[in-house]
Amino acid sequence: MKYYIIAGEASGDLHGSNLMRELMIEDRQADIRFWGGDLMKKVGGTLVKHYRDLAFMGFIEVVFNLKTIFQNINFCKKDITNFHPDAIIFIDYPGFNMRIAKWAKERGIPTHYYISPQIWAWKENRIKAVKRDFDQLYVILPFEKEFYEVKHHFPVHFVGHPLIDAIQRQQLVSQSDFVQQNKLEDKPIIAVLPGSRKQEIKKMLSVMLSVANDFEGFQFVIAGAPSQQYESYQAFLKGKNVHFVNNKTYELLSHATAALVTSGTATLETALFKVPEVVCYKGSWISYQIAKRIVTLKYISLVNLIMDQEVVTELIQENCSTKNIRTELQKLLDEDYRKKLLANYDLLQQKLGGGGASKKTAQLIVQSLLK
């Protein structure tokens, strides 16, 4: 069968690659054409467009790039039409994917959404479009099943979180090898995860690294995103205990003592690696003011949302300051504080369910097409 997959961000590339791998096991004749990244490309299939050409962050940034976005939408529709897929699999990336899904559903193409749009955070009125345009929805957060089925009477599949599988699948090197291979110092590591978009990196690294000189017994190691060039980080590598590794986030987290993390999927990845973290976020002033008025969530990190309590500290906008980061990072190095935090991480993993999200989803998709 022929599958068309659309993933528009780094996290979608990761989950898309694992889903593709499982689809090829379930369907030995699978012909896959996709929007994604390097991880999906390694699995096989045909890469149509790389996510690095698609990612725009924040309300204002999207407005400035509307022409490009609409050109991509039109190109995608033509490409799908020429490919004639048996199913389209959408992975997160709702602003783009929901437009394509509406178009595809009107043409009778089976639509599958893996990693549901976060309409429980904002734009809950999108539920009408979700119910209208998607044949199957695969959710990865435990509270999402209740949200869709109880509140909105729309049956979904809770498949567990694919990060559990992604992390277990990693082949990690020893700490001594990691230090040697990346020319690091023989000091405990503070991992710095500034996000994967240029706007995030520029805004977040300045404040995150402003505390580096206060922790001379540690080395701050920036996790470079695969979608960005070295030049995006170069200006921030002037500190004597600041280092950089590219496209090795999981290896970095596996050897880190603590972490400073921009909100997003990385907050959950860090927790699953059992690394105490502080969540940091600064957006453009206008984007933040808009978001503050339409997002009704109590928390911005997945860790706290899943646990429904503040397990990790969130420093947002003006609270994301040198002083506050310094204070919270010192807490992470306290043994009693760490023990309490790590115990909560164990509870978090239990809530996420077991592994096998990619396999379950692939099986459900193939089974639905064989009916």
Side-chain angles (χ1 to χ4, degrees), residues 247-265:
N247 198 16
K248 294 182 179 179
T249 301
Y250 282 6
E251 287 186 18
L252 174 60
L253 287 173
S254 71
H255 301 305
T257 299
L260 302 176
V261 187
T262 298
S263 67
T265 305

Side-chain angles (χ1 to χ4, degrees), residues 10 37 41 65 67 165 196 205 227 229 252 293 308 324 329 339-340 367:
K41 189 176 180 181
N65 289 282
K67 183 180 178 182
D165 292 336
S196 59
L205 274 181
S227 59
Q229 301 296 319
L252 174 60
R293 286 159 176 77
D308 196 26
N324 289 341
L329 188 50
K339 284 178 184 176
K340 182 181 176 183
Q367 286 167 10

Side-chain angles (χ1 to χ4, degrees), residues 184-234:
L184 304 178
E185 299 175 75
D186 187 20
K187 291 180 179 180
I189 292 170
I190 305 293
V192 182
L193 281 61
S196 59
R197 301 179 178 98
K198 281 185 181 178
Q199 298 102 316
E200 286 179 319
I201 293 164
K202 187 176 180 181
K203 191 171 285 285
M204 295 309 307
L205 274 181
S206 293
V207 66
M208 285 172 148
L209 295 175
S210 66
V211 301
N213 290 337
D214 298 312
F215 297 86
E216 291 187 353
F218 296 82
Q219 55 184 326
F220 287 67
V221 183
I222 301 167
S227 59
Q228 297 300 329
Q229 301 296 319
Y230 176 74
E231 288 72 28
S232 299
Y233 305 93
Q234 202 166 6

